[in-house]
Amino acid sequence: MATGRSHRPATRSRGIPEATVARLPLYLRALTALSERSVPTVSSEELAAAAGVNSAKLRKDFSYLGSYGTRGVGYDVEYLVYQISRELGLTQDWPVVIVGIGNLGAALANYGGFASRGFRVAALLDADASLAGRLVAGLPVRHIDELEAIVADNQVSIGVIATPAGAAQEVTDRLVNAGVTSILNFAPTVLSVPDGVDVRKVDLSIELQILAFHEQRKAGEGRQEPDGDVPAVMPA
Amino acid sequence: MATGRSHRPATRSRGIPEATVARLPLYLRALTALSERSVPTVSSEELAAAAGVNSAKLRKDFSYLGSYGTRGVGYDVEYLVYQISRELGLTQDWPVVIVGIGNLGAALANYGGFASRGFRVAALLDADASLAGRLVAGLPVRHIDELEAIVADNQVSIGVIATPAGAAQEVTDRLVNAGVTSILNFAPTVLSVPDGVDVRKVDLSIELQILAFHEQRKAGEGRQEPDGDVPAVMPA
DNA sequence: TAGATTGTTAATCGATTAACAATC
DNA sequence: TAGATTGTTAATCGATTAACAATC
């Protein structure tokens, strides 16, 4: 993962496991690449390799969506692209607002994966009034005071938070009050939201720390465990 | 989590589960905040609330590290900060290189969580020669041709890839050849790496797609399931 | 038909959680 | 001692995977 979430129960009504949902975008990306190369069909083995997963897992994942393959043949690429897109809700338009237009917000605004695949950046918002009007990724930055009106006018249900940590909770509260029910949080804070609001968190330093853990273990391979050490700080 | 990974077995030598490792940075962040407020001790209940997890899970997680709490009292904040930092390998210095200094690379370079917590940006690299020498976050951008020398001279073991998708695999190969054994990948591609190299992936559009899935389910709550529909595209 | 590949079963494994004995 | 809270057990739940019958 990337990392934190706060959801309803792990499986939903028709019962697609959360772990499967998280992999559907991977499959979709691999399928889109095949589609662009005009590959008509693909086997679970090939597609799994392209997506970087085990083929049994892929077939199990697809079995939650329905029986979209043909035994002895494989999967029709275009058909599967459509089915997965529909399952993920990407056949409809999702207006999003990005709050906090620093380097990260600008990177997100420019990110190609946003504009394609059903997501439309409805507005870029920042608390810095001197940024207002500046064009980022072809869109004018607007002042945070316009948040409520923009969310209402564009029926925005997804907000992306790229503000400093200190501003994230207040921005969240305003987004939620204005009607946003899904939040992608890049600020390094735990957000509190009411029931029914989904938060996903992307945390750069957490990913790095997880790598450091494994890196340390590699370096220590076969060496003496440094764990019996007298701690540098003792409990009170 | 963010999302993809490619690891050795889920638990390691002394057997800390991967899910626990992924939460240690969350605990560390909450503890650091308490430390800054000079809070001396904290109970599992309080700390769990601050980190956004279940307190039983937190106690179980800590039990893998050792018995660092005091029954009836709680955990000594400073002591626990030290133990978790040590477990994560943050008591040593980790030089990292960031490759691809667009908006995202610049955001990463400026990210406070990098500089603190044991990580040190050894260099910023970009393929665009016209960027060379420009200061980003106080560091000069250097040309990608210097990659091998920089990795060797600084004993860099962690690389961060913020290039376009098309460049990511080649950059990965060069990093790995130069000696890097952990990669944090922001490019939307599956990277192939030899055994012994860890890759973690952060994928903005995947996170958004997962949100869209849940958002769609919310919108459809109590409505007719649209699944029996005649598909718009039929299999070949 | 023979070969290929799906969809599903069942075993296994890892993660979560409530509950509570241990103990400060 | 009485109250509080940890550390651990055991039950449960969800995810992964190999294997193979079904079937194109």
Side-chain angles (χ1 to χ4, degrees):
Chain A
M1 148 156 79
T3 52
R5 59 190 73 169
S6 82
H7 283 304
R8 56 203 51 217
T11 56
R12 282 286 332 238
S13 44
R14 211 152 41 89
I16 301 185
E18 195 59 31
T20 295
V21 171
R23 282 187 294 267
L24 292 180
L26 290 177
Y27 302 143
L28 185 56
R29 171 172 297 151
L31 285 163
T32 303
L34 291 171
S35 171
E36 279 163 7
R37 289 167 40 212
S38 301
V39 175
T41 58
V42 67
S43 70
S44 61
E45 201 66 57
E46 294 165 328
L47 185 54
V53 306
N54 175 303
S55 71
K57 193 191 295 188
L58 178 143
R59 289 197 299 278
K60 187 96 169 92
D61 284 342
F62 286 178
S63 76
Y64 294 111
L65 309 185
S67 289
Y68 295 148
T70 307
R71 289 167 205 248
V73 177
Y75 299 91
D76 182 273
V77 171
E78 297 301 325
Y79 185 61
L80 203 47
V81 164
Y82 169 75
Q83 291 298 345
I84 295 179
S85 296
R86 187 173 59 86
E87 196 63 53
L88 284 171
L90 304 179
T91 51
Q92 61 184 280
D93 187 63
W94 294 105
V96 306
V97 292
I98 302 175
V99 186
I101 313 301
N103 274 314
L104 179 59
L108 296 172
N110 278 297
Y111 184 61
F114 259 53
S116 70
R117 294 257 148 266
F119 299 100
R120 182 171 56 78
V121 178
L124 308 177
L125 297 169
D126 201 286
D128 180 354
S130 74
L131 271 182
R134 182 179 301 189
L135 288 182
V136 172
L139 289 170
V141 177
R142 299 169 71 175
H143 191 263
I144 189 78
D145 283 350
E146 301 186 60
L147 185 152
E148 285 77 9
I150 288 169
V151 167
D153 292 351
N154 294 276
Q155 299 185 59
V156 172
S157 53
I158 300 178
V160 178
I161 297 184
T163 66
Q169 184 63 57
E170 196 203 322
V171 167
T172 299
D173 294 343
R174 289 182 65 176
L175 286 170
V176 169
N177 272 329
V180 163
T181 47
S182 289
I183 287 175
L184 182 53
N185 179 30
F186 287 87
T189 335
V190 175
L191 297 178
S192 19
V193 292
D195 276 0
V197 175
D198 274 328
V199 177
R200 290 191 70 84
K201 192 166 104 189
V202 175
D203 195 312
L204 319 176
S205 89
I206 283 182
E207 297 300 323
L208 213 47
Q209 289 176 38
I210 296 171
L211 280 182
F213 173 85
H214 292 293
E215 195 61 40
Q216 181 186 39
R217 289 303 173 98
K218 284 178 206 165
E221 215 111 278
R223 278 191 326 153
Q224 196 75 342
E225 281 283 341
D227 296 304
D229 285 353
V230 174
V233 183
M234 285 299 293
Chain B
M1 216 207 202
T3 52
R5 58 189 74 169
S6 82
H7 283 303
R8 57 209 43 219
T11 55
R12 282 287 333 238
S13 44
R14 210 153 41 88
I16 300 186
E18 196 59 31
T20 296
V21 172
R23 281 188 295 267
L24 292 181
L26 290 176
Y27 303 143
L28 185 55
R29 171 172 297 152
L31 285 164
T32 303
L34 292 171
S35 171
E36 279 163 7
R37 288 167 39 212
S38 300
V39 175
T41 59
V42 66
S43 71
S44 62
E45 201 66 56
E46 293 165 329
L47 184 55
V53 305
N54 175 302
S55 71
K57 194 190 293 188
L58 177 143
R59 288 197 300 278
K60 188 95 167 96
D61 284 341
F62 285 179
S63 76
Y64 293 112
L65 310 185
S67 289
Y68 294 148
T70 307
R71 289 167 206 247
V73 177
Y75 299 91
D76 181 273
V77 171
E78 296 301 324
Y79 185 60
L80 203 46
V81 163
Y82 169 75
Q83 291 298 346
I84 294 179
S85 295
R86 187 174 58 87
E87 196 63 52
L88 284 171
L90 304 179
T91 50
Q92 60 186 279
D93 186 62
W94 294 105
V96 306
V97 292
I98 301 175
V99 186
I101 313 301
N103 274 314
L104 179 59
L108 296 172
N110 278 297
Y111 184 59
F114 259 54
S116 69
R117 294 255 147 267
F119 299 100
R120 181 171 55 80
V121 179
L124 309 176
L125 297 168
D126 200 286
D128 181 353
S130 73
L131 272 182
R134 181 178 303 188
L135 289 183
V136 172
L139 289 170
V141 177
R142 299 168 71 175
H143 191 264
I144 189 79
D145 283 350
E146 301 186 61
L147 185 152
E148 285 76 9
I150 288 168
V151 167
D153 292 351
N154 295 276
Q155 298 184 61
V156 172
S157 54
I158 300 179
V160 177
I161 296 183
T163 66
Q169 184 63 57
E170 196 203 322
V171 167
T172 300
D173 294 343
R174 289 181 66 176
L175 286 171
V176 169
N177 271 329
V180 163
T181 46
S182 290
I183 288 175
L184 183 53
N185 179 30
F186 287 87
T189 335
V190 175
L191 297 178
S192 20
V193 292
D195 276 0
V197 175
D198 275 328
V199 177
R200 290 192 69 85
K201 192 165 103 190
V202 175
D203 195 312
L204 319 175
S205 89
I206 283 182
E207 298 299 323
L208 260 193
Q209 291 176 37
I210 296 171
L211 280 182
F213 173 85
H214 292 293
E215 195 60 41
Q216 182 187 37
R217 290 303 173 98
K218 285 179 207 164
E221 215 111 278
R223 277 190 324 153
Q224 195 74 343
E225 282 282 342
D227 296 304
D229 285 353
V230 175
V233 182
M234 285 299 293

